[in-house]
Amino acid sequence: MSQDELPESTPRDLPIGVFDSGVGGLTVARALRAKLPHESIVYLGDTARVPYGNRGADTIRRYALNAAHTLVGQDVKALVIACNTATAHGMDALLETFPDLPVIGVVDPVAREAASRTDTGHIAVTGTRATITSRCYEQALERLRPDATITSVPCPLFVPLAEEGWTEGHVPEEVARAYLSHLGETSIDTLILGCTHYPLLRTTIATLLDSIMPRHVTLLDSAQSTARAVADLLQERNLLREVPEGTEPGDDRAMMRFYVTDEPRGFMGTAVRFFGGPVARAEHIDITPLAT
Ligand code: DGL
């Protein structure tokens, strides 16, 4: 995709703003680009403040608002919170602060998918400490499937492992075993990877579960379901970009732009792994401070 400026003719032509604490949200951006190839995306990784997952609720809410204000300053038509931790603690504040903008978080879409796919009714949720303590998944799942049993497991070390590229081999296997082996005594058949970093450890987690569980466990991450939710909401609000029929992706001036709040060096190498392909050069951006 080119980095050309878009002709800003209608709100439909504006980009979708996507943010995460760092690179994890690129797993969502990747699914978005696949689902909506004619949409432009502005991605913000708050790399100066990552990780969010070990911080307190008020701090995370403030960071999420900062990131959202920064993207709104880039003139976006929707906000995607591509971070479970920021969704858990910032979603309500963003909905309140930007009432006219579609705001989509990553928790509800994958919770809906889990609630409809489980047969045993027993769902495991993994995530950062802050996501798990927020109980956002329990609340969403209890609404959707009141009979469900939910087992929540904080897995904080998965984030640095994914960032370091240690996603397979002895170290991540042992970490996964330490966090998840107790699930072998449960009836779970569905596990939510409730952190946008965790899809990179999917193979390691799936292999461990295959070895300890009496039944197959379906691993669900937020990426695909969130991309579908974004597509549905943009359609509903008549905000999908219109391109002439037969236009090839990449040939329609849709652009993808990356911003980071720390220096861009270092982001690019990691970003390629999370995005699953080449990414345009990231630019530094200062976070927009909240008005006091
Ligand atoms: N990407 C974040 C999430 O989905 C986790 C990384 C962090 O701790 O900042 O929760």
Side-chain angles (χ1 to χ4, degrees):
M1 290 200 185
S2 88
Q3 287 228 48
D4 291 354
E5 292 297 325
L6 284 173
E8 291 186 11
S9 41
T10 78
R12 284 196 289 260
D13 291 321
L14 294 175
I16 301 169
V18 179
F19 77 90
D20 176 49
S21 56
V23 287
L26 290 170
T27 55
V28 178
R30 174 188 190 170
L32 259 182
R33 198 179 69 155
K35 176 84 186 158
L36 298 169
H38 299 297
E39 296 294 335
S40 293
I41 296 174
V42 177
Y43 182 90
L44 172 67
D46 193 7
T47 49
R49 292 168 186 76
V50 70
Y52 286 5
N54 298 325
R55 301 189 194 273
D58 287 346
T59 305
I60 297 164
R61 183 164 41 253
R62 184 159 41 85
Y63 286 179
L65 279 165
N66 278 140
H69 273 288
T70 308
L71 280 173
V72 169
Q74 297 291 309
D75 220 1
V76 294
K77 65 179 173 186
L79 282 171
V80 179
I81 315 175
C83 173
N84 289 260
T85 309
T87 303
H89 295 285
M91 182 83 185
D92 291 346
L94 262 64
L95 285 169
E96 199 180 308
T97 309
F98 306 103
D100 299 327
L101 214 54
V103 177
I104 300 107
V106 285
V107 171
D108 281 350
V110 70
R112 270 197 296 277
E113 192 178 353
S116 70
R117 286 182 65 164
T118 180
D119 287 324
T120 63
H122 193 164
I123 299 164
V125 178
T126 58
T128 64
R129 238 189 268 288
T131 297
I132 298 302
T133 37
S134 78
R135 303 194 74 252
C136 63
Y137 274 105
E138 273 99 334
Q139 286 159 7
L141 289 165
E142 277 158 15
R143 266 196 314 274
L144 294 157
R145 180 104 190 219
D147 63 321
T149 305
I150 298 137
T151 301
S152 296
V153 192
C155 305
L157 288 176
F158 283 170
V159 171
L161 286 172
E163 295 256 346
E164 283 298 314
W166 284 24
T167 52
E168 282 175 42
H170 178 67
V171 174
E173 278 165 23
E174 282 310 308
V175 174
R177 185 177 301 282
Y179 283 144
L180 303 174
S181 58
H182 66 287
L183 295 176
E185 283 134 44
T186 70
S187 58
I188 65 153
D189 65 352
T190 307
L191 181 141
I192 296 177
L193 300 168
C195 171
T196 50
H197 280 69
Y198 296 2
L200 270 81
L201 289 139
R202 179 185 287 272
T203 306
T204 295
I205 296 168
T207 307
L208 171 78
L209 293 176
D210 276 351
S211 71
I212 60 168
M213 300 300 301
R215 68 185 63 73
H216 174 70
V217 175
T218 303
L219 298 188
L220 299 177
D221 69 64
S222 313
Q224 313 296 334
S225 50
T226 301
R228 280 195 298 274
V230 173
D232 290 348
L233 192 56
L234 292 183
Q235 169 91 51
E236 199 181 291
R237 306 245 183 134
N238 197 20
L239 278 172
L240 281 175
R241 194 158 168 251
E242 284 178 337
V243 291
E245 205 159 325
T247 306
E248 291 292 326
D251 199 19
D252 63 355
R253 298 175 67 78
M255 60 86 184
M256 189 121 203
R257 186 171 296 152
F258 299 91
Y259 290 110
V260 287
T261 53
D262 201 356
E263 58 178 33
R265 199 158 34 103
F267 174 81
M268 309 296 293
T270 320
V272 169
R273 277 189 288 112
F274 280 74
F275 194 60
V279 295
R281 178 175 292 280
E283 294 166 46
H284 175 263
I285 194 168
D286 274 325
I287 211 82
T288 306
L290 295 178
T292 47

